[in-house]
């Protein structure tokens, strides 16, 4: 599965560390910082994974027409994450579910 990870922080942040989980799960990963995301980044992408707060999720959603988005709150202790569907600690289990059952 080809996934585009959209976040706003560097690799030493919680968001960047989550990419290690994605690699371990066997996803073919592409990356885009939230401020540089464009329509061309979405070509051939099966799933967008927005990791951050509501601003990151909104930035990613502006480019989506048919590609599903998994909205991940990177810090549920500091961010309410109203638009998030899961928290960062839940990401690994959610990806296992997606690999097993597909995107729903």
């Amino acid at each position: 599965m080809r996934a585009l990870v959209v976040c706003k922080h560097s690799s030493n942040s919680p968001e960047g560390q989550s990419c290690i989980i994605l690699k371990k799960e066997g996803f073919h990963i592409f990356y885009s910082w939230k401020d540089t995301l464009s329509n061309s980044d979405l070509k051939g992408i099966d799933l967008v994974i927005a990791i951050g707060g509501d601003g990151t999720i909104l930035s990613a959603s502006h480019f989506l027409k048919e590609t599903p988005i998994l909205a991940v709150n990177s810090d549920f202790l500091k961010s309410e994450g109203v638009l998030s569907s899961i928290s960062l600690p839940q990401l690994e289990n959610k990806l296992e579910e997606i690999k097993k059952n597909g995107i729903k």
Side-chain angles (χ1 to χ4, degrees):
M1 178 174 293
R2 296 169 56 93
L4 176 67
V5 176
V6 178
C7 63
K8 68 174 185 174
H9 296 291
S10 62
S11 61
N12 63 351
S13 68
E15 294 88 344
Q17 290 298 313
S18 67
C19 296
I20 295 168
I21 294 171
L22 296 171
K23 289 178 184 176
K24 183 172 77 173
E25 292 302 319
F27 285 75
H28 191 80
I29 302 300
F30 301 88
Y31 303 94
S32 179
W33 300 118
K34 106 175 186 176
D35 296 332
T36 62
L37 183 65
S38 70
N39 282 325
S40 63
D41 294 322
L42 295 168
K43 290 184 180 172
I45 297 297
D46 301 306
L47 174 67
V48 171
I49 303 170
I51 302 173
D54 288 345
T56 301
I57 295 162
L58 283 172
S59 292
S61 72
H62 289 283
F63 295 94
L64 303 177
K65 293 183 177 137
E66 295 182 20
T67 307
I69 185 169
L70 176 60
V72 182
N73 185 338
S74 60
D75 191 348
F76 62 93
L77 296 175
K78 294 181 182 177
S79 173
E80 191 170 326
V82 174
L83 301 175
S84 304
S85 52
I86 63 170
S87 64
L88 196 51
Q90 298 169 308
L91 179 57
E92 188 169 5
N93 288 338
K94 184 63 175 179
L95 293 175
E96 287 177 20
E97 179 184 320
I98 288 171
K99 276 181 59 178
K100 182 178 178 182
N101 302 319
I103 301 169
K104 296 180 180 184

